[in-house]
Amino acid sequence: MAQADRTRQRGAARLLPGARARARLAQVEAELEATRRALGRARAQITEASFDLPEDVERTIERVRREKLSFLRADQLRNLATLVRDLDATGVPGAIVEAGTARGGSGIVLAAAKARERPMKVYDVFGMIPPPSEHDGTDVHERYQAITAGQAKGLDGEVYYGYRTDLYAEVTESFRRLGFPAEKNTVELVQGLFEDTIHLDEPVAFAHVDGDWYESTMTCLERIAPRLSVGGRIVVDDYYGWSGCQRAVDEYFRGRPGFRLLRRRKLHVLREAD
């Protein structure tokens, strides 16, 4: 009997290192999550936007959020709107560009904030998001697998935008319904892959890039950044969210003069010189 007890004790002792490792891993993961939350809160405090917006822009943001037309929070939409208004105030020339609009909410806010005569182009496939590539990490491929398996959800459990039957018509109608019909506000909605549609021959004052994966983000940067006016800005939505997007941004701007990366709640790219 004593021998059997000793055998069980030795077996338990052999398990202890594994148990300790699992406990330590759980502790590290909890600490990492706490650090991520703290980092997010810190980034949220770093902003150049005063949020001193006209009532019509505030009403637009409120409607966009109420109708679940954007995954961005109200303060993030206000930040985009204020940056665009600042560019109008300082006279930075060029178009407003949004690459990736989902249900159109952030694009509608940009249209509300900009001067009506300033041209704006909104690029999207208006359908199922294209697949990632070998340049994207496991996180991206797992997310895409969930999307194609029908497991993605929109805000508050609504139908995911990539599953909607005619997203282009829906977004066009949302612009009109919220008071900014495209044809009357110098807005062009362009349907198709970025590689097939983004061909700019004019300066760009501001771009909101929400391309998710590596290839989409790299295409946007290659075609928008060279057109960015001095004082203009690119806000990259997914830099902190998806590995492929971050890799594309890091690769494109590494050693490239004239640009400054500002690590806000979203990554901002400021054009400082030609």
Side-chain angles (χ1 to χ4, degrees):
M1 188 61 147
Q3 180 63 36
D5 288 342
R6 285 195 294 272
T7 301
R8 282 194 295 271
Q9 289 170 0
R10 285 196 296 269
R14 284 195 295 270
L15 292 175
L16 283 176
R20 285 197 296 268
R22 286 192 296 273
R24 177 56 181 157
L25 177 61
Q27 180 185 356
V28 170
E29 288 176 342
E31 292 171 352
L32 179 59
E33 181 58 31
T35 300
R36 284 173 176 162
R37 289 196 298 269
L39 184 58
R41 289 192 296 269
R43 288 197 186 110
Q45 299 303 313
I46 305 174
T47 180
E48 298 172 11
S50 65
F51 298 168
D52 185 15
L53 296 169
E55 288 186 7
D56 62 326
V57 179
E58 288 285 3
R59 284 195 299 271
T60 301
I61 292 171
E62 181 182 351
R63 285 196 64 184
V64 162
R65 292 292 303 160
R66 185 170 67 248
E67 297 187 21
K68 302 178 180 62
L69 299 180
S70 176
F71 287 96
L72 296 180
R73 298 194 313 269
D75 64 306
Q76 294 170 331
L77 293 170
R78 291 189 185 104
N79 191 35
L80 294 178
T82 306
L83 291 169
V84 167
R85 289 184 63 81
D86 286 349
L87 293 173
D88 281 343
T90 55
V92 176
I96 304 297
V97 172
E98 179 162 71
T101 198
R103 296 192 64 195
S106 54
I108 293 169
V109 170
L110 293 174
K114 77 178 184 68
R116 178 168 291 192
E117 65 275 11
R118 189 190 286 270
M120 175 175 165
K121 297 179 184 292
V122 179
Y123 298 95
D124 203 294
V125 292
F126 295 101
M128 179 60 72
I129 188 171
S133 71
E134 69 276 9
H135 300 296
D136 292 286
T138 302
D139 60 326
V140 171
H141 287 274
E142 288 178 349
R143 173 59 178 165
Y144 186 72
Q145 186 177 28
I147 291 172
T148 55
Q151 298 169 355
K153 298 290 184 182
L155 286 173
D156 296 333
E158 287 199 344
V159 176
Y160 177 67
Y161 67 89
Y163 303 153
R164 293 173 180 266
T165 55
D166 192 350
L167 189 58
Y168 181 85
E170 184 178 321
V171 170
T172 301
E173 169 58 19
S174 292
F175 269 83
R176 186 205 63 76
R177 187 177 65 258
L178 270 69
F180 302 94
E183 67 277 5
K184 295 183 179 180
N185 288 273
T186 330
V187 174
E188 183 180 1
L189 304 180
V190 185
Q191 185 171 18
L193 297 171
F194 295 159
E195 62 192 73
D196 298 329
T197 57
I198 300 180
H199 301 289
L200 296 163
D201 57 2
E202 59 192 308
V204 173
F206 181 86
H208 181 222
V209 173
D210 187 4
D212 297 316
W213 317 151
Y214 176 92
E215 295 288 356
S216 298
T217 303
M218 183 61 81
T219 297
C220 291
L221 297 177
E222 290 174 342
R223 303 194 183 178
I224 295 172
R227 294 285 181 180
L228 198 63
S229 300
V230 173
R233 183 180 301 245
I234 300 171
V235 175
V236 184
D237 187 78
D238 296 306
Y239 182 81
Y240 302 115
W242 299 116
S243 60
C245 174
Q246 185 171 113
R247 180 179 178 182
V249 172
D250 291 346
E251 287 183 5
Y252 183 83
F253 288 107
R254 185 177 298 121
R256 192 175 295 269
F259 297 92
R260 181 156 59 100
L261 273 58
L262 307 173
R263 299 179 185 275
R264 308 299 193 231
R265 179 70 177 182
K266 302 291 184 178
L267 184 79
H268 293 205
V269 179
L270 178 65
R271 184 70 182 263
E272 294 186 310
D274 289 326

